[in-house]
Amino acid sequence: MIEITIKESEEFIKLGQALKKAGLVDSGVDAKMVILDGLVQVNGQVDTRRGKKLYDGDEVTYNGEVIKINK
């Protein structure tokens, strides 16, 4: 499991940013493609919104990896 901590000054991180920060994609374009292709799940549900806001406790699954969002 990969853990990502949201910056203290922010409430959330966007889905595309989380994938990049976790090192699972190389760029925003790559993040957009895998999200639009339905390859990413947020809390067990496929989500095709790159700008989906992730909050403390959310889990993202992509390519067999799990990203846990922490505050």
Side-chain angles (χ1 to χ4, degrees), residues 28-48:
V29 173
D30 291 341
K32 179 180 178 180
M33 297 311 294
V34 299
I35 293 167
L36 288 176
D37 287 345
L39 302 176
V40 179
Q41 293 185 350
V42 177
N43 298 324
Q45 303 286 331
V46 172
D47 200 312
T48 57

